[in-house]
Amino acid sequence: MLHIVACIKQVPDTKVIKMNPKTNTMDRASAPAILNPYDAHAVEEAVRLKNKYGGTVSVVTMGPPPAVKAIRKCIEIGADEGYMISDRAFAGADTLATSYALTKAINKISEIKPVDLIICGKMTIDGDTGQVGPGIARRLDIPPLTSVNKVVEINKEDGNMVVHRKLEDGYEVVQTTLPCLLSVEKEINEVPYSSFPNMLKAARYQPVIWSVNDLEDIDRKQLGLKGSPTIVAKVWAPPKPEGGKLLEGNADEQVQQLLSVVLERKELFAEMRGSK
């Protein structure tokens, strides 16, 4: 029986979020909080593997109390248990500090039931780094497999599994030992609508919430802002495209218009030569 842990995060919906022009930061209050879309596919894959091989799916997250909603969404998808670490000591964490805190949480989950497989989404839509999953694997000293778009088979008795990793021109077949960590692409599956029984279970579900004092053998210097070497110097919204210019007239007239435009933008050719 497998015990699969999916790492998830509650993020602002970046389709509607606005930037604060004064602080150059994301105005998180301007957008609803949702389960990171890549993580939904990670949970869905964990549930599919549980249904195929038997076992349990746990989800774990780090965040403020409202992040409980993201765990309940995972229960809707089919996860069995949810764990959240929530404490002001975790605030301001970058990917390095986040991977450290989540590793400590996974270690505590392993004491309850040993973990065979960890699945993460490819990245979060508010950070786009894809660093937390490999960071967890490095700290746990287990193999990380990124860009996974298919799980071929799991053989727990032999302690290995086979997956497909997405490449630019295809995919590669990789066999790895268990336990390991996968970060998965969206195309690995489709997340279906939740069943009514799962929705009822999720509405009543209360996850296990741990503070920093509940985690064992933890170095507080590696948590939150103190444990985060990343420095964001500036954030800004890219300028909106000005739009194209429509060339009119016959072919000769359009060529003349195009040459005029090119000659007016000689600096573009200087930039191209400089980039070589």
Side-chain angles (χ1 to χ4, degrees):
M1 304 288 278
L2 293 170
H3 182 201
I4 307 170
V5 173
C7 300
I8 66 156
K9 184 183 180 183
Q10 188 182 56
V11 297
D13 189 344
T14 53
K15 293 180 181 177
V16 297
I17 198 167
K18 298 178 181 177
M19 296 294 292
N20 186 321
K22 295 183 179 179
T23 62
N24 285 325
T25 58
M26 289 190 293
D27 181 6
R28 292 179 180 268
S30 67
I34 60 173
L35 173 64
N36 179 48
Y38 286 98
D39 297 345
H41 291 275
V43 176
E44 171 64 19
E45 191 62 22
V47 171
R48 292 185 182 207
L49 294 174
K50 177 191 72 172
N51 293 338
K52 184 175 181 179
Y53 296 100
T56 304
V57 173
S58 302
V59 297
V60 62
T61 190
M62 181 181 78
V68 168
K69 292 182 180 178
I71 291 181
R72 291 198 177 110
K73 181 61 182 176
C74 297
I75 299 297
E76 283 189 16
I77 295 173
D80 301 292
E81 302 291 345
Y83 300 87
M84 183 168 80
I85 53 174
S86 184
D87 197 295
R88 293 185 66 84
F90 301 129
D94 66 1
T95 56
L96 186 68
T98 298
S99 65
Y100 176 74
L102 287 176
T103 299
K104 292 298 180 181
I106 293 171
N107 284 339
K108 192 171 180 65
I109 294 171
S110 297
E111 294 176 359
I112 301 171
K113 186 178 179 60
V115 176
D116 301 295
L117 176 63
I118 302 170
I119 305 183
C120 304
K122 176 184 176 182
M123 60 185 185
T124 57
I125 59 174
D126 62 343
D128 286 5
T129 65
Q131 296 173 346
V132 171
I136 292 172
R138 174 65 181 85
R139 293 178 185 281
L140 292 174
D141 195 22
I142 60 176
L145 295 175
T146 58
S147 303
V148 173
N149 57 11
K150 183 178 181 179
V151 175
V152 179
E153 64 176 357
I154 297 178
N155 191 328
K156 186 176 180 183
E157 291 183 355
D158 293 340
N160 60 55
M161 68 183 299
V162 179
V163 303
H164 289 182
R165 290 190 65 241
K166 181 180 179 181
L167 302 176
E168 289 186 0
D169 55 351
Y171 65 88
E172 64 177 356
V173 181
V174 180
Q175 183 181 63
T176 184
T177 56
L178 294 173
C180 67
L181 183 144
L182 312 180
S183 64
V184 299
E185 301 279 343
K186 280 185 174 181
E187 58 261 37
I188 193 170
N189 55 49
E190 291 187 4
V191 182
Y193 289 108
S194 302
S195 67
F196 188 62
N198 280 1
M199 293 174 70
L200 287 178
K201 179 182 177 182
R204 304 186 185 111
Y205 187 77
Q206 293 296 329
V208 177
I209 301 177
W210 291 321
S211 71
V212 66
N213 294 326
D214 295 314
L215 302 179
E216 298 176 358
D217 190 27
I218 196 160
D219 179 5
R220 290 176 179 260
K221 293 180 181 178
Q222 297 189 53
L223 296 175
L225 199 57
K226 290 182 180 178
S228 301
T230 303
I231 298 175
V232 180
K234 184 179 180 181
V235 178
W236 69 95
K240 294 183 180 179
E242 298 177 355
K245 181 177 181 180
L246 181 63
L247 303 180
E248 299 178 339
N250 57 38
D252 292 339
E253 292 171 339
Q254 292 185 30
V255 169
Q256 290 301 320
Q257 292 175 48
L258 180 59
L259 288 173
S260 298
V261 172
V262 171
L263 292 174
E264 290 173 359
R265 302 293 301 276
K266 293 180 179 178
E267 70 276 11
L268 294 178
F269 297 95
E271 292 176 1
M272 292 176 64
R273 286 195 295 269
S275 63
K276 290 182 179 179

